[in-house]
Amino acid sequence: MAGARSSSVVNRFLSRPALHYVGAISYSLYLFHFVVPGLGFSGRFDVFDRAAAAAYALNFLFTLALAIVLATGLCRLMEVPGRRIIRTAADRMLGLPRVSATSLQGARRRSDQLLGSPGVKQ
């Protein structure tokens, strides 16, 4: 966390939206990464030449894209609704009140005003 606000090359690279997206679907990607290579090209080459290298590179890109598509679907269809259901059940069991997104935004604005955050009109 020490370098979280740093403008280093590593921090700029890790802050890219594509890497954030892969991080968001990473668990689904972990669950499906072993299934996808079997769906790609399964041929063998006798000699590893340019044609073989091109075929393997295309197979890698195809299976990577397919794994990301499957992971995205799994994340949106299973993970997100599952998390919402579990969070709601846990809140009910603990007796916590439901909080809507609009009330969270209002609370954030009020806390920013109280703290005197720059950019917030008082």
Side-chain angles (χ1 to χ4, degrees):
M1 296 308 296
R5 294 186 180 251
S6 168
S7 62
S8 68
V9 174
V10 173
N11 193 28
R12 284 194 307 262
F13 175 73
L14 294 175
S15 298
R16 295 192 180 269
L19 288 178
H20 279 262
Y21 183 75
V22 170
I25 65 167
S26 63
Y27 185 67
S28 296
L29 192 59
Y30 164 73
L31 290 176
F32 271 95
H33 79 279
F34 70 92
V35 173
V36 177
L39 301 175
F41 172 73
S42 62
R44 301 278 186 250
F45 290 93
D46 294 332
V47 178
F48 190 77
D49 56 357
R50 287 184 186 208
Y56 286 128
L58 285 174
N59 187 43
F60 173 76
L61 293 174
F62 170 73
T63 55
L64 179 64
L66 187 60
I68 289 174
V69 167
L70 285 174
T72 299
L74 181 68
C75 185
R76 290 190 179 169
L77 293 174
M78 298 294 289
E79 272 191 68
V80 173
R83 266 189 255 136
R84 192 176 308 126
I85 290 167
I86 291 170
R87 191 173 298 133
T88 302
D91 288 349
R92 246 187 254 133
M93 286 173 50
L94 295 172
L96 298 175
R98 287 185 151 202
V99 180
S100 67
T102 55
S103 65
L104 284 176
Q105 290 171 353
R108 189 174 296 130
R109 265 190 245 110
R110 285 190 298 277
S111 68
D112 286 345
Q113 289 173 351
L114 290 173
L115 296 174
S117 296
V120 177
K121 294 183 181 181
Q122 294 184 356

